[in-house]
Amino acid sequence: MALMINEDCTACDACRPVCPNEAISAGDPVFVIDPLRCTECVGAEDEPQCCLVCPADCVVANPEWPESPNDLQAKYDQLHI
Ligand code: SF4
Ligand code: SF4
């Protein structure tokens, strides 16, 4: 399941540089996660790096993108061929 950023985002930019998939970009007013690029960090890290660094605790599951761990790994592999 891709993650998404909710309206509590303060646009601090802590998350964007730690994403292994370059899935995060600045939006208006809140930052945005591209669900086609977010793997919950599967393939690169043990846990979602954006959640770890976010001071606003505003990164949540995106219910429109139900994916299994295998799906997420396949997405990661596709992004990094
Ligand atoms: Fe990027 Fe990982 Fe956050 Fe997804 S969970 S946006 S891959 S840092
Ligand atoms: Fe927004 Fe959290 Fe990213 Fe900062 S770390 S830009 S508050 S989602």
Side-chain angles (χ1 to χ4, degrees), residues 14-42:
C15 57
R16 190 179 50 81
V18 301
C19 178
N21 298 335
E22 298 183 356
I24 305 174
S25 58
D28 182 18
V30 302
F31 275 41
V32 178
I33 294 175
D34 180 351
L36 295 174
R37 299 190 69 87
C38 177
T39 63
E40 284 187 57
C41 286
V42 168

Side-chain angles (χ1 to χ4, degrees), residues 4-6 8-16 24-25 30-33 50-51 53-59:
M4 59 184 285
I5 295 170
N6 71 23
D8 292 335
C9 172
T10 61
C12 72
D13 200 34
C15 57
R16 190 179 50 81
I24 305 174
S25 58
V30 302
F31 275 41
V32 178
I33 294 175
C50 53
C51 296
V53 302
C54 179
D57 202 20
C58 62
V59 186

